[in-house]
Amino acid sequence: MSRRRIWTAAAALLMLTAAPAWPQEFTGEELAHRLGCRACHTWQGAGGTHGPALDGVGQRRSRPELAQQLTSTPSRRMPSFAFLRPQDWQALLTFLEGL
Ligand code: HEC
């Protein structure tokens, strides 16, 4: 495990255990902001370039493919987001499908 992945996992755990900050429903867009997707991805003209731009990703990828990308990344250049709650999953996937 690289140092960055360990820190990502630690940050994810911290977000989950800081319960009052994570109680309610979020829209997919809010989740994408909170989870820091824009550190590596651009959409709608803002974001990083470590990963591919996500505009139109809903046309390129099916929902199962998007879910797969978020949980297991063979290249290890993207952290896993498998820790998300089921309802957050659905919201995030619906947001990605609409990009
Ligand atoms: C540390 C950088 C990083 C972060 C943070 C990150 N990604 Fe990625 N992502 C990548 C890279 C790099 C790829 C290219 C494929 C690969 O290497 O796994 C990728 C690929 C993708 C793809 C597939 C794109 C395509 O065109 O097929 C999707 C969808 C995606 N990421 C969504 C997200 C979402 C949603 C988040 C936030 C929850 C996120 N990523 C956070 C680096 C990141």
Side-chain angles (χ1 to χ4, degrees):
M1 215 188 229
S2 75
R3 198 160 275 199
R4 182 197 279 162
R5 281 175 74 82
I6 290 169
W7 278 113
T8 306
L13 259 180
L14 203 70
M15 277 163 72
L16 278 182
T17 50
W22 196 262
Q24 78 275 43
E25 301 299 319
F26 292 105
T27 66
E29 189 169 12
E30 283 167 344
L31 284 163
H33 282 294
R34 285 181 167 248
L35 295 168
C37 310
R38 270 204 162 116
C40 298
H41 294 284
T42 292
W43 66 89
Q44 291 162 2
T49 54
H50 179 67
L54 293 183
D55 296 297
V57 76
Q59 270 89 62
R60 295 196 300 274
R61 304 272 179 222
S62 68
R63 197 172 174 103
E65 283 172 342
L66 292 170
Q68 168 81 11
Q69 175 70 41
L70 291 172
T71 48
S72 75
T73 51
S75 74
R76 294 173 176 268
R77 294 192 303 150
M78 175 167 151
S80 168
F81 292 92
F83 61 86
L84 288 174
R85 303 179 303 180
Q87 66 265 41
D88 294 332
W89 266 109
Q90 300 311 319
L92 191 58
L93 289 174
T94 301
F95 169 70
L96 289 172
E97 279 180 333
L99 282 178

